[in-house]
Amino acid sequence: MSAPFARVAVLGLGLVGGSLAQLLAQRGVVVVGQDVDATAVTSARAVGLTATTSLAEAVEGADLVVLAVPLRAMRATAAELARCIGTTADATVTDVGSVKGPVRLAVEAAGLGDRFVGAHPMAGTEHSGFAASSAQLMDRAAWAVTVRPDDDGARLAPLLRLLTGPLAGTVAVLTDDVHDEAAALISHVPHVLATQLLNAVAGAPVRDAALGLAAGSFRDGTRVAYTDPARTEAMVTENAAWVAPALRKAVRDLEALVAALETNAPVHGFFRAADDVRAQGRPGERRARGAQAPVPLDAGWPAALVARCASGAVVTGLTETEAVLAR
């Protein structure tokens, strides 16, 4: 089977974009990185990547363009990309953003909607910039890929082959809304709660004593609060439609716990509500996935994948005739 893409352009060489570009290069994929920051470009070249500050130069001849810029720069970058590739090139456009609905709107506003397949690698750290990037961060990562309900799979198939082949990842194929609601619960709300925990200690009269005593639970609970606050703010506000109701539920649950504590009422339900999830083990520590019935690549196969992945299945590979699934 031939390589799914002959040349990949990665626009944005921060933590995720830089890590993706390095892994692609390690796996033999021709990749060109681009960043408006000359320091990031110099650093990328120092580790052997082909990199430039010119978007036009980076995307010339590319058949896959990855938008890896900050969310706040997505609309302007998509518009510049549209001017550079025009109507003749047939490059597929994807991204690595943590919110999918707003990115699709930005790409569609630039006139590139028919080329777009959304993507989000579920990998990252609290650090940022190319200096924090590494190929290992993206190796065997879990990805979410998002499509419209009527997607015909022409651009989805090669992207799945890249992610599950050279990058050795697994992929959940979802709609934008399912992704954004799920991301709110497992990423964006945790960032907010971690930030609030850090804020609470920062403003406490016993701040210094508390920080001196802080150990594992505080370290783990606040890790993502040490992310660049501007990046967290952009992520949360761009996904406000799903983050806000999830936070309201968290507030209601905490207020109920506070009321119970103040009145010496039972609190058993609060601490045991997730027992079934707890029994499955922590993410990354669960049992090995088992094979599932594959999805034939016939008419409507992207919608079939969306239905299967919404219930927990992931794509582990793509043959010429079927999508291989596990759960």
Side-chain angles (χ1 to χ4, degrees):
M1 187 181 298
S2 60
F5 297 103
R7 179 183 171 99
V8 178
V10 178
L11 309 183
L13 293 172
L15 173 68
V16 175
S19 297
L20 177 60
Q22 290 180 72
L23 182 59
L24 287 167
Q26 282 190 11
R27 298 291 160 81
V29 178
V30 177
V31 57
V32 179
Q34 183 272 340
D35 202 290
V36 296
D37 182 358
T39 301
V41 170
T42 300
S43 298
R45 290 173 176 170
V47 299
L49 291 176
T50 301
T52 175
T53 57
S54 168
L55 189 149
E57 182 181 334
V59 302
E60 184 177 0
D63 50 2
L64 176 66
V65 178
V66 183
L67 298 169
V69 298
L71 289 171
R72 58 186 177 273
M74 196 66 72
R75 186 171 290 269
T77 304
E80 184 180 357
L81 172 62
R83 289 191 296 270
C84 289
I85 65 176
T87 59
T88 56
D90 193 37
T92 294
V93 178
T94 188
D95 76 311
V96 293
S98 62
V99 181
K100 297 274 69 76
V103 173
R104 187 177 297 277
L105 289 176
V107 173
E108 289 177 344
L112 301 173
D114 61 341
R115 304 167 178 259
F116 182 67
V117 180
H120 177 202
M122 308 308 295
T125 73
E126 65 273 26
H127 305 295
S128 59
F130 186 83
S133 69
S134 72
Q136 289 70 33
L137 182 67
M138 306 300 293
D139 190 16
R140 301 183 182 277
W143 288 75
V145 165
T146 64
V147 295
R148 293 178 299 199
D150 60 348
D151 193 288
D152 64 6
R155 295 186 184 276
L156 173 62
L159 184 60
L160 292 180
R161 289 193 173 99
L162 176 70
L163 299 182
T164 61
L167 302 190
T170 59
V171 183
V173 181
L174 306 168
T175 63
D176 293 338
D177 279 350
V178 169
H179 169 275
D180 288 355
E181 183 177 7
L185 292 172
I186 54 89
S187 176
H188 306 161
V189 168
H191 274 76
V192 172
L193 297 179
T195 300
Q196 171 54 29
L197 179 56
L198 195 62
N199 290 347
V201 173
V206 294
R207 162 184 167 155
D208 293 340
L211 291 174
L213 294 170
S217 60
F218 184 76
R219 178 199 64 218
D220 295 345
T222 60
R223 181 183 65 80
V224 295
Y226 288 88
T227 300
D228 176 5
R231 188 173 75 179
T232 301
E233 180 182 354
M235 175 175 70
V236 170
T237 56
E238 288 288 344
N239 203 24
W242 292 111
V243 174
L247 284 175
R248 285 195 180 279
K249 182 182 185 304
V251 169
R252 290 196 299 270
D253 291 347
L254 289 172
E255 287 179 338
L257 176 63
V258 169
L261 292 172
E262 291 177 337
T263 59
N264 201 31
V267 297
H268 178 84
F270 177 87
F271 291 101
R272 303 307 296 267
D275 275 358
D276 61 330
V277 176
R278 195 175 289 114
Q280 296 176 26
R282 291 163 58 91
E285 299 175 359
R286 298 180 180 180
R287 296 184 299 274
R289 295 182 183 271
Q292 298 285 299
V295 170
L297 301 185
D298 51 18
W301 68 270
L305 277 187
V306 167
R308 295 282 296 277
C309 292
S311 64
V314 294
V315 180
T316 60
L318 217 68
T319 71
E320 293 290 354
T321 60
E322 63 185 22
V324 182
L325 271 64
R327 181 168 179 172

